[in-house]
């Protein structure tokens, strides 16, 4: 059974204080590792897809990395508008395009 | 604008009263799916559809039905809602053979009393 565990559950940072979110996963053949952002009362918004160990992707202050067992979302010099819940998910090679999600990290950036 | 539209966004109902949550996408995606999101459990797949007239169960299908008569629409039907179906529901779609990115709707918050 595919599993995704995210840590920490919640993280409070001062504006400009860099940090990383962790996503550990087990999957029967990785099709892709996905990061989403979710704001309160909204649907998840796609950020990145990583396909193989060693791959990295960047978008503004966010950088996602992938190993065979985990992924990190690095946030550099965050701003208050980066406050959201960040969701990690895996898709398996075999199946129906389903994504298995973690429970998310709720990130708060304090001005 | 590319989007997945769900209705209603908020609904309070009573046990046993049939309801339908509609979902429509304007991206010509073949694949559509329903998820529910509960605290501590994350997003879990209810049903999915690979194309018109092709639907199948996800991880938590009990108490739900779906249909896919048109490519753009994928309604979720609760024939006899129960309190344990109180949840936040998301419809999602993607283009088969693409990047695997799921596009989500804004969500429908359902409360069953």
């Amino acid at each position: 059974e595919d599993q995704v565990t995210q840590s920490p559950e919640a993280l409070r940072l001062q504006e400009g204080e860099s940090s990383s979110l962790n996503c550990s996963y087990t999957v029967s053949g990785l099709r892709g590792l996905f990061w989403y952002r979710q704001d309160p009362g909204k649907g998840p918004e796609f950020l990145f897809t990583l396909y193989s160990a060693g791959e990295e992707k960047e978008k503004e202050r966010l950088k996602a990395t992938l190993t065979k067992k985990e992924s990190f979302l690095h946030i550099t010099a965050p701003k208050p508008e980066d406050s959201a819940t960040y969701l990690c998910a895996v898709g398996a090679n075999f199946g129906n395009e389903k994504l298995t999600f973690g429970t998310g990290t709720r990130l708060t950036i304090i001005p | 604008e590319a989007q997945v539209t769900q209705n209603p966004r908020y609904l309070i109902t009573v046990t046993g009263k049939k309801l339908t949550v509609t979902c429509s996408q304007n991206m010509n995606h073949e694949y559509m799916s329903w998820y529910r999101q509960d605290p501590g459990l994350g997003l879990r797949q209810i049903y999915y559809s690979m194309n018109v007239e092709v639907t199948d169960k996800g991880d938590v299908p009990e108490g739900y039905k779906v249909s896919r008569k048109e490519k753009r629409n994928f309604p979720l039907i609760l024939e006899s809602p129960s309190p344990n179906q109180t949840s936040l529901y998301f419809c999602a779609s993607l283009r088969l053979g693409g990047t695997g990115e799921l596009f989500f709707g804004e969500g429908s918050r359902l409360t069953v009393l």
Side-chain angles (χ1 to χ4, degrees), chain A residues 16-104:
Chain A
E17 181 184 1
S18 302
S19 188
S20 297
L21 313 182
N22 177 261
C23 170
S24 300
Y25 67 92
T26 56
V27 64
S28 52
L30 182 69
R31 170 169 57 87
L33 186 294
F34 300 80
W35 282 98
Y36 283 82
R37 169 190 171 127
Q38 187 174 24
D39 293 299
K42 302 272 190 176
E45 177 186 342
F46 173 77
L47 291 173
F48 304 107
T49 310
L50 302 167
Y51 296 103
S52 58
E55 190 175 359
E56 300 181 351
K57 287 194 176 171
E58 289 189 62
K59 181 180 181 179
E60 296 181 3
R61 294 175 292 281
L62 300 177
K63 178 181 176 181
T65 62
L66 181 65
T67 73
K68 288 187 177 180
K69 293 183 178 180
E70 56 192 351
S71 177
F72 292 93
L73 185 65
H74 306 278
I75 302 175
T76 302
K79 298 181 178 181
E81 53 261 41
D82 295 322
S83 297
T85 296
Y86 290 85
L87 302 173
C88 174
V90 294
N93 276 327
F94 308 103
N96 69 58
E97 308 285 342
K98 179 185 81 171
L99 294 186
T100 299
F101 283 85
T103 52

Side-chain angles (χ1 to χ4, degrees), chain B residues 44-111:
Chain B
R44 294 176 293 165
Q45 189 187 54
I46 304 170
Y47 266 95
Y48 67 96
S49 170
M50 300 294 278
N51 215 322
V52 175
E53 301 292 359
V54 181
T55 64
D56 208 344
K57 297 176 181 179
D59 294 325
V60 287
E62 295 78 18
Y64 305 95
K65 286 176 59 177
V66 293
S67 69
R68 187 93 181 273
K69 295 187 172 67
E70 303 166 287
K71 195 172 187 179
R72 64 183 294 126
N73 296 324
F74 190 45
L76 179 70
I77 303 155
L78 286 73
E79 294 267 0
S80 183
S82 61
N84 65 10
Q85 293 179 296
T86 293
S87 188
L88 181 57
Y89 292 87
F90 289 100
C91 181
S93 71
L94 68 76
R95 182 175 63 87
L96 293 176
T99 60
E101 173 193 344
L102 269 176
F103 289 84
F104 284 87
E106 293 282 88
S108 296
R109 184 167 292 281
L110 171 65
T111 300

Side-chain angles (χ1 to χ4, degrees), chain A residues 99-111:
Chain A
L99 294 186
T100 299
F101 283 85
T103 52
T105 293
R106 188 172 66 255
L107 177 66
T108 304
I109 308 300
I110 304 160

